[in-house]
Amino acid sequence: MSKKLLSPLSLAWLTLMAAIACEIVGTSFMAVAARSGAYQGYLLMAGALALSYYLLSLALRAISVGVAYAVWEGLGLIGLTVVSVWLFGEKLVAQELLGLGLALLGLACVTLGETHDEVAA
């Protein structure tokens, strides 16, 4: 009898994290393309965002749409903010940091509130 390495739920969360990474990459390329005018950035943006939506749709097989979308958007927002500060030299004020912290707290509440039906083995 073979034992699964990852449960369907664990695999869904890993897929969601990959979707978030693709969203951050795609939106970062959008910023690069908008600032430089290079159309290659728009092509990379479109590909990364399309992959992000595809991976998000796969994650929805085991994670409820509301929770998955909230986590995708929220962690994408926080990740993109980190990228914009790190790569693009943007500055954050205290109010923005507070808002990001509250968003993270909200994501934790939404995620911890999700329930899952037991899957038959």
Side-chain angles (χ1 to χ4, degrees):
M1 200 175 355
S2 76
K3 187 175 182 181
K4 290 183 181 179
L5 186 61
L6 292 173
S7 70
L9 183 59
S10 296
L11 187 58
W13 279 102
L14 286 174
T15 304
L16 181 59
M17 293 305 119
I20 292 165
C22 289
E23 180 195 12
I24 293 167
V25 167
T27 308
S28 297
F29 275 115
M30 181 190 323
V32 168
R35 293 173 182 179
S36 69
Y39 288 100
Q40 298 88 345
Y42 290 116
L43 293 174
L44 291 169
M45 172 204 74
L49 291 178
L51 181 57
S52 177
Y53 274 97
Y54 175 70
L55 293 171
L56 175 61
S57 73
L58 294 178
L60 295 179
R61 293 177 179 173
I63 304 170
S64 68
V65 67
V67 170
Y69 188 78
V71 171
W72 181 75
E73 274 298 319
L75 291 183
L77 168 73
I78 292 167
L80 189 57
T81 301
V82 169
V83 167
S84 70
V85 168
W86 180 48
L87 289 181
F88 303 128
E90 297 178 5
K91 305 287 185 218
L92 295 176
V93 297
Q95 182 178 350
E96 292 168 322
L97 289 171
L98 176 63
L100 289 171
L102 290 172
L104 195 56
L105 180 63
L107 286 175
C109 291
V110 167
T111 303
L112 292 174
E114 182 181 31
T115 59
H116 297 281
D117 295 332
E118 291 295 320
V119 178

